């Protein structure tokens, strides 16, 4: 069993803050400061260039990848970390397109995170070969998986509403018609149990700065099914994925049969230090226990908000098994209300046009924080504090 009280003691949160935004940026583990200090003093300062060998920097893409892979049900040797999530979207979708060159339809849904769609739009322009991106409503995605479709690119958990797609059902349908599937697990990894291996996922990508607490801009990850590792085409062909990176050949040959072929360029080892420290916590977590706790806290939050803040309308699925680990409510004055809540030291966030979003993250949130957050939200709405002029101005980041 996961000891949640022990987990929360490992995070460094400001006194008095109720942090319901771990679905957007996870809080800092207490171990981050000494880990970074050790890296600066005992690795970079003393080892300099030797660190690529003496500290194994060169293979941290893989060692950290396997640790992330455990959280998404990936077999060892099928996941690497590095680059950004947008780059991994491009990389995975391009590889999927090459697997079905005679099909020119890419299917997603209109609830997908916009950058995923933007990256595909850019890839289509680059290909200039008659490709089309289709984005039906999430509820209509399954019907859209036909023999015309080459690649299905889908985010498992909707970033606005928390709606969760059925991974196994979508993969089974896509494979039955010969399509390739790319899963974005940005709101799944560290939030809900995922089994990319058991579901025979072709590609899975995601970030590590949300639920996994790797820090702002921490590296993304990509998983490739073992059956594809010898044939998948790495269209972003950087030196880090070369068969012999230190031969310095002028022609590119991808690493045969290994996940290294999906590496691109030199990663940020400093970012890896922070991610490694966060994963020390996650190594102690059972995902089924975490999900059960998340469901309990989410259900409590929904009940309390609906009974005490009737102006807010639940837009997340009612069924806890059909959503991720954040809960969203629509409110016409949602932006201002969220700013008032943040000013009262309860941190959630807002997504246009009217969604107030709350991350339910059991590693550092318990019942007391849930009830305290609703107390403050109820007071803000009853007293109409959100009408204050300072809460009306839109910040650069919402």
């Amino acid at each position: 069993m996961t000891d949640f009280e022990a987990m929360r003691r490992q995070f460094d949160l400001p006194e008095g803050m109720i942090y319901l935004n771990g679905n957007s940026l996870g809080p800092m583990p207490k171990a981050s400061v000494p880990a970074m200090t050790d890296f600066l003093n005992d690795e970079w300062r003393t080892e300099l260039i030797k660190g690529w060998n003496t500290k194994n920097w060169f293979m941290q893409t893989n060692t950290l990848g396997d640790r992330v892979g455990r959280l998404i049900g990936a077999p060892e040797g099928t996941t690497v970390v590095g680059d950004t999530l947008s780059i991994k979207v491009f990389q995975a979708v391009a590889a999927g397109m090459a697997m079905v060159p005679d099909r020119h339809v890419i299917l997603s849904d209109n609830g997908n995170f916009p950058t995923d769609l933007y990256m595909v739009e850019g890839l289509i322009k680059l290909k200039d070969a008659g490709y089309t991106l289709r984005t039906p409503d999430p509820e209509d995605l399954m019907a859209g998986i036909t023999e015309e479709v080459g690649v299905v690119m889908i985010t498992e958990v909707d970033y606005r509403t928390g709606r969760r797609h059925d991974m196994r059902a979508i993969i089974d349908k896509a494979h039955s018609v010969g399509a390739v599937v790319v899963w974005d697990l940005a709101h799944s990894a560290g939030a809900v149990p995922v089994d990319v291996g058991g579901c025979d996922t072709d590609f899975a990508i995601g970030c590590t700065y949300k639920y996994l607490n790797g820090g702002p801009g921490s590296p993304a990850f990509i998983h490739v099914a073992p059956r594809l590792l010898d044939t998948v085409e790495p269209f972003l062909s950087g030196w880090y994925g070369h068969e012999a990176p230190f031969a310095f050949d002028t022609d590119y040959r991808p690493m045969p049969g290994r996940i290294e072929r999906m590496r691109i360029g030199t990663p940020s080892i400093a970012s890896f230090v922070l991610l490694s420290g966060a994963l020390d916590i996650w190594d102690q977590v059972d995902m089924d226990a975490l999900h059960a706790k998340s469901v309990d806290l989410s259900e409590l939050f929904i009940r309390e908000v609906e009974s005490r803040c009737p102006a807010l309308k639940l837009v997340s699925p009612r069924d806890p098994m059909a959503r991720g680990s954040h809960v969203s409510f629509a409110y016409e004055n949602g932006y201002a209300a969220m700013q008032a809540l943040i000013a009262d030291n309860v941190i959630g966030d807002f997504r246009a046009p009217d969604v107030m979003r709350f991350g339910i993250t059991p590693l550092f949130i318990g019942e007391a924080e849930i009830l305290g957050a609703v107390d403050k939200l109820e007071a803000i709405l009853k007293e109409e504090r959100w009408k204050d002029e300072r809460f009306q101005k839109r910040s650069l980041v919402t």
Side-chain angles (χ1 to χ4, degrees), residues 23 157-163 187 191 211 294 298 316 323-328 357-360:
N23 56 304
V157 175
D158 188 297
Y159 78 101
R160 281 199 187 97
T161 67
R163 182 191 188 277
H187 286 276
Y211 293 96
S294 168
S298 297
S316 296
R323 63 175 185 257
S325 199
H326 67 270
V327 174
S328 297
R357 197 173 66 156
F358 304 89
I360 310 300

Side-chain angles (χ1 to χ4, degrees), residues 103 145-150 176-177:
R103 299 189 183 192
I145 302 175
T146 67
E147 293 184 356
E148 290 182 285
V149 174
S176 75
V177 298

